[in-house]
Amino acid sequence: MSPAPRAVLYVRLSRDSAVSTSIAGQNADLYALAESEGWRVVATFEDNGKSGGKQRDKAVAALAMIRNNEADVLAVYAYDRWSRMGIADSAEVIKAIEARQRLAKKRLTPAPLFIAVREGIRSDQEGWKMRTAFAAEMAETERDRMVSRRTASIERMRREGRNPGTGPAPFGYRSAPFADGRPGRRFVVDHEEATVIREIAERLVAGESSSALARELNTRHIPMPRSPFRLAQLKGEPTLDAGTGEAL
């Protein structure tokens, strides 16, 4: 009796969409599939909140298990959970499976299998490479659309003086709720930081050296816009003195 195929499962929860199948739900579906197929799960990789448009170490590690004959099956919940990096990235999956297929024909390794459950892609079926490439193109296209929509939304919110929620408020501002109670937040002037900005501008216009001015600001412990001290201030968290490191 042949040993059960060794399976590696990969799941990812995206930050790019407000509607996304949970990590637990993806795992449950993949484990149910493993049981019905008779696989022995040897590894599960999870990326929670990671973008599919970037290289992810856990995805690389999962595919490496197929390349290195440490697993026979790579199962993902959906191709866009696996990657949104386009056709070039899908070629890596195809090459890994084809390399193992050649070894399997020589009886050197068990036969490999790649599965993307939602798209119904299986590498033991005809046309799987074309379907994988098509799924990769669709995933990248949708990612580009989401990025465009998000970029346009952020720009519109900035024009309206609203906080787009993509990072700390710019130096000189604070984030605050709207006075009329509407949803969302807006930028309001932080008068202490605004005073520093005006001073810097006036002194630069007067001809002072930017490097000398920067050294003085450091001496005065004026925080950088994204310094841990300022970020803690913005969040209303306990802060440490920017110069001594002691609690204020």
Side-chain angles (χ1 to χ4, degrees), residues 80-155:
D80 63 1
R81 303 297 89 188
W82 170 253
S83 173
R84 289 185 182 272
M85 296 174 66
I87 291 177
D89 198 57
S90 70
E92 295 302 312
V93 175
I94 293 171
K95 286 192 292 186
I97 294 297
E98 287 186 328
R100 282 288 304 275
Q101 287 174 337
R102 289 191 291 271
L103 293 174
K105 287 180 180 179
K106 298 177 182 179
R107 299 180 184 274
L108 298 176
T109 67
L113 179 63
F114 171 71
I115 290 184
V117 176
R118 191 167 64 189
E119 292 85 357
I121 296 172
R122 294 181 61 109
S123 63
D124 57 359
Q125 296 177 348
E126 289 187 8
W128 79 275
K129 289 183 286 186
M130 183 178 297
R131 295 185 64 191
T132 299
F134 179 76
E137 175 67 14
M138 293 298 294
E140 184 181 35
T141 298
E142 179 57 24
R143 177 180 67 88
D144 291 343
R145 288 173 179 165
M146 287 190 294
V147 170
S148 295
R149 290 194 296 265
R150 180 62 176 158
T151 300
S153 175
I154 290 172
E155 181 59 29

Side-chain angles (χ1 to χ4, degrees), residues 30-93:
L30 289 180
Y31 270 93
L33 178 63
E35 183 176 0
S36 66
E37 295 275 350
W39 304 333
R40 178 168 60 91
V41 177
V42 295
T44 300
F45 292 92
E46 298 181 358
D47 273 321
N48 198 341
K50 296 291 184 69
S51 170
K54 298 179 181 179
Q55 192 71 271
R56 284 148 287 114
D57 290 342
K58 292 181 180 180
V60 171
L63 187 57
M65 292 187 69
I66 296 294
R67 289 197 181 102
N68 299 334
N69 191 27
E70 297 170 343
D72 311 310
V73 180
L74 172 57
V76 303
Y77 176 77
Y79 190 87
D80 63 1
R81 303 297 89 188
W82 170 253
S83 173
R84 289 185 182 272
M85 296 174 66
I87 291 177
D89 198 57
S90 70
E92 295 302 312
V93 175

Side-chain angles (χ1 to χ4, degrees), residues 160-163 176-186:
E160 295 172 353
R162 298 166 59 193
N163 182 0
F178 283 98
D180 58 9
R182 81 180 83 162
R185 299 181 70 81
R186 62 191 175 115

